[in-house]
Amino acid sequence: MLRLLGHRLLQLIPTIFILSLIIFSLQHLLPGDPALALAGENPDPETVAAIRARYGLDQPIFMQYLYWVGGVLTGDLGLSMRHNLPVTTLVLQKLPVTLQLAIMGIVLALVFGVVGGVIAAVRRNTSIDYAANVVSLAGISVPNFWLGIMLILLFSIQLRWLPASGYVPLSVDWRMNLATTVMPAFVLGTAIAGIIMRHTRSAMIQALESDYVRTARAKGLSPTVVVVKHAMRNALTPIITLGALEFGALLSGAVLTEQIFAIPGFGKLIVDAVFTRDYAVVQGVVLVTALFYITLNLLADIGYILANPRLRS
Amino acid sequence: MSFETTSSQPPLLVASDVSKHFTLRRTIFGRPLTKVRAVDDISFSLQPGETLAIVGESGCGKSTLGRVLMRLIEPSAGAVTLDGVELTALSNRDMLAQRSKIQLVFQDPYASLNPRMTIGQTVGEPLMLHNVVPKAQRAERVKELLKMVGLRPEHASRYPHEFSGGQRQRVVIARALASEPKILVCDEAVSALDVSIQAQVLNLLKSLQKKLGLAYIFISHDLSVVKHIADRVAVMYLGKVVELGETRKIFSTPRHPYTRALLSAIPAAHLGHGRDTAAHALAGDLPSPIDPPSGCRLHTRCPHARPECKAVDMSLDVEADGHANACAFWKELPQTDDLLGKGRATDPRLAKLFAAFSNPLPEGEQAPC
Amino acid sequence: MAQPAIPYIPFSQLFESRVWRRFSKTKSAVFGLVVVLIVVFVAVFAPFLAPYDPAAQIWTAVRQPPSALYWLGTDESGRDIFSRLVFGARASLMAGVISVSIAIALGVPLGLAAGFVGGLVDGVISRFTDAMLATPFLILAIAFAAFLGPSLTNAMLAIGITATPLFIRLTRGQVLSLRSEEYVEAARSVGNPGWRVALRHVLPNILPQLLVQTTITIATAIIAEASMSFLGLGQQPPAPSWGSMLNSAQRFLSNAPWMALWPGMIIFLTVLSFNLLGDGLRDAFDPRSKT
């Protein structure tokens, strides 16, 4: 098991190295001189020179890379031009908001996805199964920004039950926090719920057709016990792993969802940064999401190894 | 180690001390930890027009050996010389040109044809690659090749899934013949086919050999097939050749305990003589090739094993007639009767096969399978 | 796991083949195919199908609800929503097709190289793929677009680059599973050089899997383009696109909800159809994959 983990960890080193190269080289996609781009509208030569010196742009490119990596390793993601704050500070400020949405989203997705998938598997090839399939594909296919807009239309404008936008932190008022996050979390969870539902269904069907479930049935156990205790327990491990992996998709979804509901999170941070040409923030957000995803991926692997006795030895 | 066969002609193919080790596990720094010696220090030669059979249980390394000979798998050590050219010393690019001289017939005719190429494209590809005939004559040559293996010229425009197993194997043979090779390596070339079709394909191979002067390396686990097609036989066990000699000698006076065990396991011999074959039977299962036994690799299963066997080396002891075997104590083993020679087939499967051999179809009139 | 050999089907026999029979029996897949064909038709013949000029601003008919005159209503500057949807199909389909073409053109050769050459080449390409896939799809595409500048072309480029690792990974995996097939070994044994084995013997046999991936990735790309246009990083006004229509609709939700309704429905329907089509193709090519 340690070998397996060691191998996984070693593989991460080149992955993260290449990731850092990709993110670093993003700024070289900018047309022309990055110093000019960073200096904003109509810069005077001194400003440009100052920026060049400040960001090390007068250094050879590999030195620039080393400076940047050195900064990242010490937790310094650069400086936001717009907010005049360290990117790290901004990221740490916005991350909890998005994390709250993401966790609520994944919980909703797991509940709907697993329940729907189990029902579809148990009622395989009935109209319920087909309906579940259509619902899950619809969940995957619906553009979540549109779903968000439709929810606002229904619950905020027509019914006036929930605020259309804004965010109240949990520490200020939990009711308002819930009211402002329930729609975005639902939107985030929809696509993942569809994916989880499809995987749950196929994992459950596999489990239901396995010998141990047949044995359990033959022993005369009630169908509910067979489904919940025997089949589901075995089908659940890959689903939890999948849930961890889909966290990345949640962060993608957060970009649009936060935009629609005007929630000051991670996604809004990157979109605002794109429009204010705050490139250090864009790079920082991409790096942090990718590292976040890699860590989750690793944890999912470790969980998978721990849950799978055959891999443990 | 190398030795000459009785013939005075220069050999067509010479394998000297060929080995292939597969690395199964490495340390994190890339140092090999576990190796499988699939082919271990094997030497032999092959005369033009000769058929050398390589026999052994599955997993003994015979298929790997066949592929190493044509450098489809790179050998770890040793040299292969074909027609005076040392294949193992060639660059990859030069090897491509030499491929025309040695071709492979595969076991499973359902897997060895590209499902998206017509029969004509498949058979014509080597013609194009090796520029065997001018471009304008390729289509005509494909038709000749199809006729040569008993197929109809108009089959060229069809796809593999439209053919039976026997027909596909004929296509595979036509493809192998297209580049005008001197050697065909037949890797279990008939074992996936029905018995009646096996005989037809074997007869085809025999008649092609006569007509084209081909040499065959015939890899098989089926000794009754080998007996009818091979001039010489090499017996392999766990990556080593344990016995090598003329087919007649191998079947009449097998030296090595492993060969004896293989022969005694043939149903025809068993039933034909009613002799107690238990004396030759091997004990236990095939050991893992990852960690083969020390000394003589057979000592864990050999009915004649003695303590010294754990330390002996497995070099071949060659008799005056070229019959070689790797048992260090073969002269002390009990004498053997003819284990198979007079055996009349009573196994219905073999009976059918033998019958097919004794009444070969007239040349050129291969029944379509 | 070895892929089942899918016999080659000449076009003339397509409609009699088993693959087509299985496909045509799946209602959802046929529905997907029909909708996709309609969208393609609409995009191609947009000028003949749209009753109005999609950019013509009629200030006397601003934010009209759906009526006989304006079937789906008008937007904040009096443009006919139906006509804009018809022309918007062009941006969406183009984004889907062109970005996926970029991803295929980059991803398939890299995947072939990784699978065939192995060793260091495979290591570098695979780690590159891992690194790209570690970044959420839309965030990476937005980051590329941010640095390339906002335009439909750059959005397509960004989506194409972001989707490349999907094709690298698929192709590499297929190559590794096909490489041990006997007919691939046979191709080597008759003297094919490596590149010819890859292009002539392996590539044609992974086309079904590539087709399925292409269909599903087009769905992803259409959503990504709509998302980016919605954010203002894709199609620039006044050219119509489904995503940017939703963007402007957002400001008039309470008094012109139809502006938000239709573009979203169309994106949803199109993406759903591509997904249904991809699912149907997968099951038709390999019935065992159906669970």
Side-chain angles (χ1 to χ4, degrees), chain A residues 69-143:
Chain A
V69 168
V72 169
L73 288 179
T74 54
D76 174 12
L77 293 169
L79 204 62
S80 158
M81 309 286 294
R82 180 166 164 250
H83 302 270
N84 212 17
L85 278 171
V87 174
T88 316
T89 312
L90 279 174
V91 165
L92 289 178
Q93 217 172 51
K94 310 288 184 185
L95 198 56
V97 180
T98 305
L99 274 184
Q100 191 203 341
L101 286 184
I103 290 169
M104 286 171 71
I106 202 93
V107 168
L108 280 172
L110 276 171
V111 170
F112 282 111
V114 170
V115 170
V118 169
I119 292 174
V122 174
R123 299 252 174 271
R124 195 180 170 189
N125 293 334
T126 63
S127 50
I128 295 176
D129 183 19
Y130 294 133
N133 186 37
V134 171
V135 168
S136 73
L137 248 186
I140 294 167
S141 306
V142 70

Side-chain angles (χ1 to χ4, degrees), chain A residues 11 14-15 19 26 30 137-138 141-142 145-146 149 153 157 198 201-202 248 252 255-256 260 274-275 279 286 293, chain C residues 127 130-131 134-138 142 146-147 223 227 231 233 246 250 253 260-261 264 268 272 275-276 279 291:
Chain A
Q11 246 185 357
T15 306
L19 179 72
L26 273 177
L30 285 175
L137 248 186
S141 306
V142 70
F145 52 104
W146 179 63
I149 292 173
L153 196 57
I157 293 171
R198 304 185 107 198
R201 178 177 176 276
S202 63
S252 255
V255 172
L256 292 154
I260 292 158
V274 165
F275 283 105
Y279 297 110
V286 174
Y293 178 82
Chain C
R127 296 294 82 74
D130 286 350
T135 321
F137 193 92
L138 194 59
I142 287 176
F147 285 91
I223 283 219
S227 306
L231 293 173
L233 285 169
L246 271 176
Q250 216 194 340
L253 267 190
L261 188 65
F268 174 48
L272 180 68
N275 276 331
L276 288 172
D279 266 18
T291 46

Side-chain angles (χ1 to χ4, degrees), chain A residues 1 4 234 237-238 241 300-313:
Chain A
M1 176 172 71
L4 214 60
N234 281 281
T237 327
T241 316
D301 276 5
I302 293 173
Y304 197 72
I305 293 169
L306 289 178
N308 205 331
R310 262 173 305 173
L311 290 174
R312 232 182 289 165
S313 56

Side-chain angles (χ1 to χ4, degrees), chain B residues 67 72 99 103 106 108 111-112 114-117 121 125 128-130 159 161 175, chain C residues 5-8 182-183 185-186 188-193 196 200-201 204-205 208:
Chain B
R67 282 159 173 75
L72 274 178
R99 289 227 183 281
Q103 283 293 314
F106 292 84
D108 182 0
S112 58
N114 187 335
R116 284 175 195 266
M117 282 168 74
Q121 286 169 329
E125 191 175 42
M128 183 272 293
L129 290 168
H130 300 288
Y159 286 90
H161 70 268
R175 169 177 65 192
Chain C
I6 297 155
Y8 173 74
E182 275 197 349
Y183 66 83
E185 200 187 14
R188 290 209 301 134
S189 78
V190 297
N192 274 295
R196 206 166 183 277
R200 188 79 181 83
H201 294 269
N205 285 291

Side-chain angles (χ1 to χ4, degrees), chain A residues 185-206:
Chain A
F186 180 83
V187 169
L188 277 180
T190 315
I192 322 286
I195 295 169
I196 290 178
M197 201 190 279
R198 304 185 107 198
H199 283 262
T200 306
R201 178 177 176 276
S202 63
M204 274 303 285
I205 285 175
Q206 214 172 24

Side-chain angles (χ1 to χ4, degrees), chain C residues 36 49 55 71-72 81 86 100 124 143 155 160 162 170 177 190 223 232 261 279 288:
Chain C
V36 166
L49 296 171
W71 299 340
L72 301 181
I81 288 178
V86 166
V100 173
V124 170
T162 309
L170 174 78
S177 81
V190 297
I223 283 219
L261 188 65
D279 266 18
R288 286 177 311 170

Side-chain angles (χ1 to χ4, degrees), chain B residues 58-101:
Chain B
S58 62
C60 73
K62 54 192 195 299
S63 286
T64 307
L65 175 61
R67 282 159 173 75
V68 166
L69 292 178
M70 49 193 304
R71 250 185 84 186
L72 274 178
I73 296 176
E74 293 289 333
S76 313
V80 178
T81 307
L82 169 62
D83 217 8
V85 179
E86 193 183 332
L87 299 184
T88 37
L90 295 176
S91 69
N92 284 333
R93 183 190 295 253
D94 292 339
M95 185 60 218
L96 288 183
Q98 292 296 321
R99 289 227 183 281
S100 62
K101 293 187 196 161

